Amino acid sequence: MRTLSLKIAECERTLTTSYFFHLMPDLPKSTVYSRIRSLVNSGFLKRTGRGVYEITENIDFELHVSQKMKDVAKEVSLQFPYIDFCVWDLSPINSLAQHLINFNICIIDVDREAVEAVYQQLRETHEKVVTTKRLVDNLADYNSYILVRKLVTDSPIMKKTEIPVPFLEKILVDIACDKEFAIFQGYEIQHIFDNALSQYIINRNKLLRYAGRKNQRDKIEQLLINNSSIK
């Protein structure tokens, strides 16, 4: 698929289905259509009309790893070497939402069974730590807190400079669906999705697969349908 992407990148930015049949003449039509769908789902191509596609100028999303995120990840790695976790914060919201936020929270998602133990450990070294079930006010009232949450199995995460962080697909689904992020839902969430889809390469298969694991696939599909860039 990478070789195919490189070949396509050398052509005009607007492509038609007939071009793909010409590029892959020895393959069955069903296979050609399958590869086109894969390129669209990976974010390399976007559909601009019936049988018409355009090479996207979107870029890969890179989450900035703050010093606080590094410190939290190091502590958890040392104290709980065998659990899965990822760490992130709300900084992407300001680049995607319509309205800027003036607070930030360091979020660490850990194995369900480890949430309470990680919470107690972090309380020994940090003043402001909370779990999802202990949230009693609007998220904006928890500026500078560390929020410990449960990690959904098979979440889309990766390592950046040895720090496990979520893919943008995970962040988008969590912001859209989890009750602790209600402040960003409603009218604001469509702006977040629209801006993410227009700026970054979003793997829709990964997005929807993770949403399905949270039983929220229908909600995410609707946000994609409402996005003008893929109509």
Side-chain angles (χ1 to χ4, degrees):
M1 188 63 68
R2 178 175 173 79
T3 300
L4 177 60
S5 298
L6 291 174
K7 288 182 179 179
I8 294 173
E10 296 172 355
C11 0
E12 298 294 328
R13 300 206 68 79
T14 300
L15 309 169
T16 62
T17 304
S18 59
Y19 165 79
F20 292 97
F21 289 135
H22 174 74
L23 185 64
M24 298 175 278
D26 299 327
L27 296 179
K29 284 188 176 183
S30 60
T31 301
V32 175
Y33 282 121
S34 176
R35 295 194 176 182
I36 293 173
R37 285 195 299 271
S38 294
L39 290 167
V40 171
N41 287 331
S42 70
F44 183 79
L45 292 179
K46 63 179 178 181
R47 187 178 291 104
T48 58
R50 185 176 178 84
V52 182
Y53 305 86
E54 186 175 296
I55 300 174
T56 180
E57 296 181 354
N58 293 7
I59 61 175
D60 289 324
F61 171 80
E62 289 194 16
L63 178 67
H64 171 68
V65 179
S66 67
Q67 187 60 52
K68 187 171 186 177
M69 291 165 61
K70 293 178 183 177
D71 292 342
V72 170
K74 182 178 180 180
E75 181 175 352
V76 172
S77 294
L78 288 173
Q79 298 296 327
F80 305 93
Y82 302 113
I83 70 168
D84 291 325
F85 74 92
C86 70
V87 61
W88 51 294
D89 64 16
L90 297 179
S91 59
I93 301 301
N94 272 337
S95 66
L96 298 174
Q98 184 180 31
H99 300 101
L100 297 179
I101 59 173
N102 59 0
F103 65 97
N104 200 4
I105 293 171
C106 179
I107 302 161
I108 180 162
D109 297 338
V110 304
D111 287 343
R112 179 191 300 266
E113 297 80 6
V115 169
E116 190 64 22
V118 171
Y119 166 71
Q120 295 297 342
Q121 171 61 39
L122 290 174
R123 285 188 67 197
E124 294 182 8
T125 53
H126 299 81
E127 292 184 4
K128 298 179 177 181
V129 188
V130 69
T131 61
T132 303
K133 69 179 182 180
R134 291 179 172 88
L135 289 172
V136 295
D137 296 307
N138 189 295
L139 201 64
D141 296 325
Y142 290 88
N143 185 37
S144 299
Y145 268 73
I146 299 170
L147 173 60
V148 186
R149 310 190 316 146
K150 64 181 179 182
L151 179 70
V152 174
T153 55
D154 294 329
S155 291
I157 62 179
M158 60 180 172
K159 283 200 172 181
K160 182 177 180 182
T161 61
E162 298 306 310
I163 306 297
V165 298
F167 279 93
L168 180 56
E169 288 85 353
K170 171 174 160 44
I171 294 175
L172 291 174
V173 173
D174 288 354
I175 293 295
C177 302
D178 295 348
K179 63 180 182 180
E180 54 267 37
F181 302 122
I183 189 174
F184 304 120
Q185 294 162 11
Y187 179 73
E188 188 69 80
I189 194 61
Q190 189 66 57
H191 285 280
I192 292 173
F193 265 69
D194 289 350
N195 288 328
L197 290 162
S198 66
Q199 295 176 39
Y200 300 110
I201 295 174
I202 304 294
N203 188 314
R204 290 180 176 82
N205 282 342
K206 184 182 296 183
L207 187 81
L208 292 171
R209 186 164 55 248
Y210 177 60
R213 294 197 65 80
K214 295 167 70 78
N215 296 317
Q216 296 288 343
R217 185 183 177 100
D218 289 347
K219 183 172 186 177
I220 301 304
E221 283 182 335
Q222 190 59 53
L223 288 167
L224 293 177
I225 291 171
N226 292 342
N227 175 254
S228 58
S229 71
I230 63 171
K231 288 181 179 178

